Amino acid sequence: FVPLSTYKTSCISKEQIAPKVYELTFTKPAGFAFRPGQFVLFQIPLVGKPEDVQVRSLSIASSPKEDFLLFCMKLKEGGRISRWIEEILEEGMDVVMQGPLGVFTLDRSTDKPYVFLATGTGLSPIRSHLKWALEEEKDMRPMHLIFCVREECDLFWTDQFKSLVKAFPNFTFSISLTRGPDTWAGFRGRVYEV
């Protein structure tokens, strides 16, 4: 058993980017290194009972070379971390985290294309993968992302992926809505159907 490394980080920003979805940005502690696709455990106190602390995992959405840590969280009514984000977390607040953990990493031993499928905030580790593979590693294999949400209002970070499409000819990006309006010209249906 190897004990987890513990770090103190500070909240840079908290922004609601879609209904019930928050983007959280934290400082990157000195010595903290991770691989795209990994996650950390945040020590989250219970609202109203700060001595009751439990860990909650969040996937890292930033790439290893970005100088901040980015996370994305969909709120669940009454959830410990959801209440903490809405009621307690503020810019400048220090938070303790452990990690990194996880093996949802890219297989670099193959030259096969990458196909990324994401729904909702499951996009977080995919953002990390793509920013790293395209911008940092200059990996030129074909890569495709299909991002699925219910309605247009649920979309987020799409401008970032559209910018990657313009910058990297080997990358394509598709959006699918399960409840798109009649005017929606993109894909329709769940991500596995697309």
Side-chain angles (χ1 to χ4, degrees):
F1 175 75
V2 178
L4 290 177
S5 297
T6 299
Y7 300 90
K8 185 167 73 172
T9 181
S10 181
C11 180
I12 298 170
S13 67
K14 174 180 90 170
E15 180 184 358
Q16 187 171 356
I17 55 175
K20 297 185 179 181
V21 175
Y22 276 88
E23 176 185 274
L24 309 171
T25 309
F26 288 86
T27 56
K28 189 174 185 180
F32 182 79
F34 66 95
R35 291 178 294 156
Q38 292 193 296
F39 66 92
V40 295
L41 299 173
F42 278 98
Q43 294 184 8
I44 307 296
L46 186 64
V47 173
K49 194 176 179 183
E51 67 278 8
D52 180 351
V53 177
Q54 295 180 8
V55 295
R56 293 293 185 268
S57 63
L58 285 178
S59 293
I60 303 169
S62 46
S63 67
K65 287 192 179 173
E66 288 178 304
D67 60 359
F68 54 87
L69 294 176
L70 183 68
F71 303 91
C72 188
M73 169 73 190
K74 182 168 184 176
L75 302 183
K76 179 181 178 184
E77 189 173 347
R80 175 184 286 257
I81 193 169
S82 298
R83 289 195 62 202
W84 176 77
I85 289 170
E86 282 199 300
E87 301 175 37
I88 304 294
L89 183 64
E90 296 178 352
E91 292 179 14
M93 180 179 289
D94 288 340
V95 182
V96 176
M97 68 178 193
Q98 297 170 289
L101 296 158
V103 293
F104 181 54
T105 54
L106 294 177
D107 181 0
R108 296 301 303 271
S109 67
T110 175
D111 59 359
K112 292 181 180 179
Y114 289 144
V115 177
F116 300 93
L117 309 175
T119 60
T121 57
L123 190 59
S124 293
I126 305 303
R127 181 193 182 277
S128 182
H129 284 308
L130 285 167
K131 297 280 283 181
W132 175 76
L134 292 167
E135 294 178 345
E136 297 173 20
E137 292 296 303
K138 309 297 184 197
D139 192 328
M140 294 308 295
R141 78 183 72 209
M143 299 184 205
H144 187 71
L145 167 60
I146 302 171
F147 180 39
C148 181
V149 294
R150 288 181 180 163
E151 303 176 63
E152 283 182 271
C153 65
D154 297 317
L155 292 169
F156 58 91
W157 293 349
T158 55
D159 288 347
Q160 294 182 40
F161 294 109
K162 289 176 182 176
S163 294
L164 289 176
V165 168
K166 289 180 182 176
F168 298 95
N170 58 314
F171 175 60
T172 55
F173 173 48
S174 301
I175 296 169
S176 183
L177 301 182
T178 59
R179 297 181 186 170
D182 293 340
T183 55
W184 176 251
F187 288 111
R188 292 176 181 274
R190 299 186 183 278
V191 69
Y192 63 84
E193 296 169 329
V194 176

